[in-house]
């Protein structure tokens, strides 16, 4: 009997030991390709996190909407089905944190320096804190640069947009932006855009070049206009309950890994967009147009009133503070 009890006790100890040594799994889901700036940064974070924690954490990266589409991923995070995401900043408006839609305002960031003065300063920090009541902890801002317009007709001036069906993310600001240009905005999940362009469900879209190239959108778009009219960035977020429940030393190691992955991501974002644009040019399938100064002025004249339109939604004071901070950093 004693031997049997000893065997049972030893088995239980071994089982507990194996359980105790099992790594903490972080499922990191995102909707873009692995070779985009966000995709590469997710892989770099995985590498850094697993090394820093000596294997106590295992990061599983799921790119290209393998697990969840745009509209599904935030709910999945809140429910704990995944632990980490890097959604575009526009995704937080539908969640109820409308202040993030300030990042969608056309021409609000004249330069990357202006952008970073906001994301890396008090404004960026305070916005991430607004996610806490939603069960979300914000860790970092990742960058994907400025957007270009694409369609199967040339889009030189606002009049060219009239009647065009253009895909947007679910954002009231982006909806207002497209309507200001005379286009008909169509909300679609990112994973559905290529097929929608291919079949004519939509006529065009807006994206940084790296997203456009890695999703092969240039194959079904005859024209690209280098408008740089808006910004696309991401927030790396985690399930708050999961994050708060991690051992303190693990959380510290992951915070360091995220900081290093963020530095890496910002360094490659512009490079990758430049390379993607060059690659699109080389295919010869898409004509690339750079608006003249006069045409850009016309775009700005049509789009800047969107700032005023959105004051009641985003907050007049926040928009003014961002404009002031961005202007000081030019």
């Amino acid at each position: 009997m004693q031997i049997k009890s000893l065997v049972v006790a030893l088995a239980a100890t071994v089982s507990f030991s194996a359980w105790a040594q099992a790594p903490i799994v972080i499922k990191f889901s995102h909707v873009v390709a692995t070779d985009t700036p966000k995709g590469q940064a997710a892989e770099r974070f995985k590498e850094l996190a697993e090394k820093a924690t000596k294997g106590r954490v295992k990061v599983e990266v799921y790119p290209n909407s393998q697990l969840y589409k745009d509209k599904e991923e935030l709910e999945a995070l809140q429910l704990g089905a995944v632990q980490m995401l890097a959604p575009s900043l526009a995704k937080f408006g539908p969640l109820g944190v409308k202040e993030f839609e300030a990042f969608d305002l056309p021409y609000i960031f004249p330069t990357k320096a202006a952008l970073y003065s906001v994301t890396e300063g008090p404004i960026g920090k305070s916005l991430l804190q607004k996610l806490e009541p939603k069960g979300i902890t914000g860790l970092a801002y990742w960058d994907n640069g400025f957007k270009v317009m694409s369609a199967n007709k040339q889009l030189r001036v606002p009049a060219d947009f009239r009647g065009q069906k253009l895909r947007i993310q679910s954002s009231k600001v982006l909806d207002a932006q497209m309507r200001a240009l005379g286009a008909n905005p169509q909300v679609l999940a990112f994973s559905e855009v290529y097929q929608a362009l291919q079949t004519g469900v939509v006529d065009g879209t807006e994206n940084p070049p790296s997203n456009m190239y890695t999703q092969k959108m240039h194959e079904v778009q005859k024209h690209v206009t280098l408008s740089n009219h808006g910004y696309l960035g991401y927030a790396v977020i985690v399930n708050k309950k999961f994050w708060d429940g991690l051992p303190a030393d693990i959380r510290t190691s992951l915070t360091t890994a995220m900081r290093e992955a963020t530095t890496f991501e910002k360094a490659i974002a512009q490079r990758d967009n430049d390379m993607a644009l060059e690659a699109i040019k080389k295919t010869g399938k898409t004509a690339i147009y750079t608006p003249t100064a006069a045409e850009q002025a016309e775009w700005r004249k049509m789009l800047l009133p969107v700032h005023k339109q959105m004051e009641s939604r985003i907050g007049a004071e926040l928009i003014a503070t961002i404009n002031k901070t961005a202007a000081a950093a030019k």
Side-chain angles (χ1 to χ4, degrees):
M1 256 333 252
Q2 283 183 327
I3 293 174
K4 185 178 180 182
S5 298
L6 183 61
V7 169
V8 170
L10 284 170
T13 302
V14 170
S15 177
F16 177 78
S17 176
W19 174 84
Q21 291 174 12
I24 298 165
V25 175
I26 296 177
K27 290 184 179 179
F28 189 162
S29 173
H30 65 81
V31 302
V32 298
T34 302
D35 50 352
T36 58
K38 178 163 67 173
Q40 292 175 71
E43 296 296 335
R44 177 61 65 95
F45 172 73
K46 168 184 168 67
E47 177 190 329
L48 292 167
E50 291 177 352
K51 183 178 179 182
T53 60
K54 296 180 172 60
R56 289 170 65 194
V57 168
K58 180 184 179 186
V59 180
E60 298 176 354
V61 180
Y62 298 91
N64 262 330
S65 305
Q66 285 178 8
L67 290 184
Y68 301 102
K69 294 182 180 180
D70 293 279
K71 292 181 180 179
E72 305 163 344
E73 60 177 10
L74 279 171
E75 184 180 3
L77 182 88
Q78 289 174 304
L79 292 172
V82 292
Q83 289 71 46
M84 185 173 287
L85 304 173
S88 62
L89 300 169
K91 301 280 183 17
F92 300 120
L95 191 67
V97 191
K98 299 170 185 175
E99 292 89 344
F100 275 93
E101 290 186 351
F103 289 98
D104 293 336
L105 289 168
Y107 298 113
I108 195 163
F109 300 114
T111 62
K112 283 287 182 72
L115 165 70
Y116 295 151
S117 71
V118 172
T119 56
E120 296 175 5
I123 299 173
K125 186 176 180 180
S126 68
L127 287 174
L128 290 179
Q129 287 171 346
K130 290 181 182 293
L131 298 173
E132 298 274 332
K134 305 291 183 183
I136 295 169
T137 296
L139 299 181
Y141 289 95
W142 284 359
D143 182 25
N144 201 8
F146 296 106
K147 295 181 285 188
V148 299
M149 290 283 194
S150 70
N152 283 323
K153 63 172 285 189
Q154 198 169 61
L155 303 173
R156 291 193 176 197
V157 293
D160 296 330
F161 284 83
R162 197 165 295 127
Q164 290 285 293
K165 294 175 291 183
L166 295 186
R167 179 265 173 177
I168 60 166
Q169 298 185 74
S170 181
S171 163
K172 297 295 183 185
V173 175
L174 297 179
D175 183 276
Q177 167 195 281
M178 293 304 187
R179 292 184 190 281
L181 291 169
N184 296 323
Q186 310 286 318
V187 176
L188 281 175
F190 186 70
S191 59
E192 298 169 4
V193 177
Y194 177 88
Q195 187 175 9
L197 292 168
Q198 186 182 42
T199 57
V201 171
V202 294
D203 301 309
T205 186
E206 58 170 11
N207 260 302
S210 64
N211 275 5
M212 187 178 183
Y213 181 67
T214 56
Q215 294 294 322
K216 304 185 188 304
M217 294 179 197
H218 63 286
E219 294 181 355
V220 288
Q221 295 281 264
K222 294 178 182 176
H223 296 276
V224 164
T225 301
L226 303 183
S227 50
N228 296 324
H229 61 282
Y231 171 70
L232 179 65
Y234 313 105
V236 187
I237 57 176
V238 289
N239 176 286
K240 186 179 187 302
K241 186 177 179 181
F242 168 80
W243 186 253
D244 292 346
L246 290 172
D249 63 324
I250 291 285
R251 201 162 51 239
T252 299
S253 295
L254 292 177
T255 299
T256 301
M258 181 56 65
R259 186 164 55 245
E260 292 178 18
T262 299
T263 299
F264 165 79
E265 198 278 341
K266 288 178 177 175
I268 67 170
Q270 190 60 51
R271 181 204 70 186
D272 280 19
N273 277 310
D274 291 343
M275 288 170 60
L277 195 59
E278 195 57 39
I280 290 171
K281 283 180 184 176
K282 285 182 179 177
T283 67
K285 295 180 179 180
T286 309
I288 296 173
Y289 180 72
T290 302
T292 65
E295 287 166 347
Q296 279 279 20
E298 197 172 340
W299 282 53
R300 293 177 69 87
K301 182 181 177 182
M302 297 294 287
L303 290 175
L304 286 176
V306 173
H307 290 222
K308 191 71 178 174
Q309 277 180 255
M310 291 293 122
E311 283 183 352
S312 60
R313 180 176 177 84
I314 297 169
E317 186 177 345
L318 175 60
I319 293 173
T321 303
I322 290 175
N323 276 320
K324 183 178 178 181
T325 304
K330 281 185 188 178

